[in-house]
Structures are given as structure tokens and as C-alpha cells.
């Protein structure tokens, strides 16, 4: 499991956490606070601290999502919201259980196949619909597969001419390539696309290779 976050030109609100919850289960949370500036960064920092304790305390992912959503509702300002992807990667059952709370930027690649999006189940972003319920999706997790979840700062980074986004298709192509054994190589690809190491927005990626 590898994770990396690169700040953009303006202070923003990406975060991720990884936790070993038992002999066979790893829990991953990646979130992206809407907007930029100090307000987004403060909410990100508060939620990052809160989720650390909740990841260990709460067993079910749908209950963890509801707890995080309640925290965001109580601490956000204005129209701020948070998109989040959270998952349990279970070596014992060879499965991935996940909740996509309006995030939409996670993929699974299996040997001999293509990268497919992990966007089933879930619910709305935190802060959009108070009291919302969240649904857990579960999929097989075969040996030799790779999983990546990224923030929209990576997907939406435009080219040097400012016309074309890096996009999900390039993320999928990278995940299926030999380069996807090192999370840093996707940042190299994004920087090449942008024509600069300075990105417009925070960019975060967590890669799990099995």
C-alpha cells in the first residue's frame, strides 16, 4: 500500500489514512474537501483527526460513513462538502468492501482485464444531505490485482494549454501499465500532462498492489 499527496497552488483539503485493522484487513479512507483556502484546510485537518479514531472504533463501513457525515454537518461552513471513498481490503475473504460517498475516483485492475471504476453503492458527499444513509458494495479481490483511489485534483489537472484534463481514462491506462507498481509514477504522468510540477489543485493517490 502506497499513498502520496501533493499540494496545489492554493491551500486545499485532500487527506488520506490507512489502518491495519486485523491480521487480514486493511482500511483505507481518502477524502477531498470542496473549495480551496484556509476554510477547506481547517475542515480537512479536523476530519482527518476525527476519522483516525473512528476507523478503529467503528466496524462497519456504512456506519463509519454516517459518523463522518455527521461530523462534517456539524463543522462545515457555508456550502462546503466532502467527497470520500472508504474501503476494507480483506485478504481473508479475498474481497474489497467499500463506500463511495460522491467521490467517483477509484478503480480496480485485474490481470488480463481492464481497469474498472469502483462506484457502486455509497451515497451522497458528506454535508450535502444530513441524515443520509450509505450502502456498502463488495467485489472480489483476486491476487495480482491493483487498486487505486485518487482525488479530483489529479483527474481534473489540465494540459499545459489548459484545454484537456488528465481524466479517468489516463488513470485507467496507468493502472493497467507496468508503471503502476509505484504510486509516484502517476504524479510523473500528471506533471508531464500539465507541463509543470506545480499542479492547479491538491492531488492525492493511494495505490494497493496485491
Amino acid at each position: 500500500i502506497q499513498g502520496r499527496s501533493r499540494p496545489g497552488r492554493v491551500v486545499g483539503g485532500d487527506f488520506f489514512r490507512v489502518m491495519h485493522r486485523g491480521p487480514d484487513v486493511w482500511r483505507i479512507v481518502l477524502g477531498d474537501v470542496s473549495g480551496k483556502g484556509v476554510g477547506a484546510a481547517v475542515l480537512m485537518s479536523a476530519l482527518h483527526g476525527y476519522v483516525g479514531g473512528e476507523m478503529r472504533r467503528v466496524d462497519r463501513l456504512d456506519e463509519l460513513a454516517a459518523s463522518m457525515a455527521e461530523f462534517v454537518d456539524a463543522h462545515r461552513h457555508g456550502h462546503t462538502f466532502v467527497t470520500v471513498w472508504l474501503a476494507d481490503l480483506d485478504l481473508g475473504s479475498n474481497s474489497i468492501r467499500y463506500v463511495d460517498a460522491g467521490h467517483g475516483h477509484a478503480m480496480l485492475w485485474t490481470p488480463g482485464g481492464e481497469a474498472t471504476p469502483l462506484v457502486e453503492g455509497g451515497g451522497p458527499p458528506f454535508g450535502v444531505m444530513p441524515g443520509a444513509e450509505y450502502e456498502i458494495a463488495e467485489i472480489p479481490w483476486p491476487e495480482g490485482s491493483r487498486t487505486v483511489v485518487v482525488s479530483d485534483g489529479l483527474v481534473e489537472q489540465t494540459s499545459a494549454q489548459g484545454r484537456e484534463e488528465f481524466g479517468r481514462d489516463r488513470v485507467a491506462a496507468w493502472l493497467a501499465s507496468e508503471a503502476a507498481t509505484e504510486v509516484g509514477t502517476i504524479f510523473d504522468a500528471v506533471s508531464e500532462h500539465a507541463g509543470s510540477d506545480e499542479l492547479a489543485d491538491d492531488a492525492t493517490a493511494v495505490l494497493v498492489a496485491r
Side-chain angles (χ1 to χ4, degrees), residues 10 20 58 71 73-74 79 83 92 99 102 110 114 117 122 158 173 177 185 193-194 197 206:
V10 181
H20 193 200
V58 180
F71 182 89
D73 286 334
H79 300 291
T83 68
V99 170
T110 55
E114 298 180 347
T158 56
S177 73
T185 60
H193 179 76
D197 288 335
V206 175

Side-chain angles (χ1 to χ4, degrees), residues 28-140:
I28 294 171
V29 174
L30 186 147
D32 186 0
V33 180
S34 66
K36 298 179 177 65
V38 174
V42 168
L43 179 57
M44 177 275 291
S45 180
L47 183 57
H48 183 268
Y50 176 78
V51 75
E54 292 295 273
M55 284 173 72
R56 189 172 301 280
R57 185 187 70 83
V58 180
D59 288 332
R60 291 181 55 88
L61 289 172
D62 52 352
E63 294 175 0
L64 174 60
S67 174
M68 292 175 67
E70 184 177 357
F71 182 89
V72 171
D73 286 334
H75 292 83
R76 72 188 185 97
H77 298 282
H79 300 291
T80 303
F81 61 88
V82 186
T83 68
V84 175
W85 193 84
L86 51 157
D88 282 340
L89 293 89
D90 194 329
L91 291 163
S93 63
N94 295 309
S95 67
I96 298 175
R97 297 180 295 277
Y98 69 92
V99 170
D100 188 319
H103 192 70
H105 300 309
M107 295 182 180
L108 171 70
W109 173 85
T110 55
E114 298 180 347
T116 57
L118 303 181
V119 294
E120 300 299 324
F126 303 156
V128 171
M129 188 182 300
E133 296 184 352
Y134 293 87
E135 180 182 349
I136 301 171
E138 185 168 356
I139 57 169

Side-chain angles (χ1 to χ4, degrees), residues 157-161 166 189-200:
Q157 175 61 51
T158 56
S159 62
Q161 295 76 26
F166 188 75
V190 172
S191 293
E192 182 178 356
H193 179 76
S196 172
D197 288 335
E198 186 179 47
L199 304 180

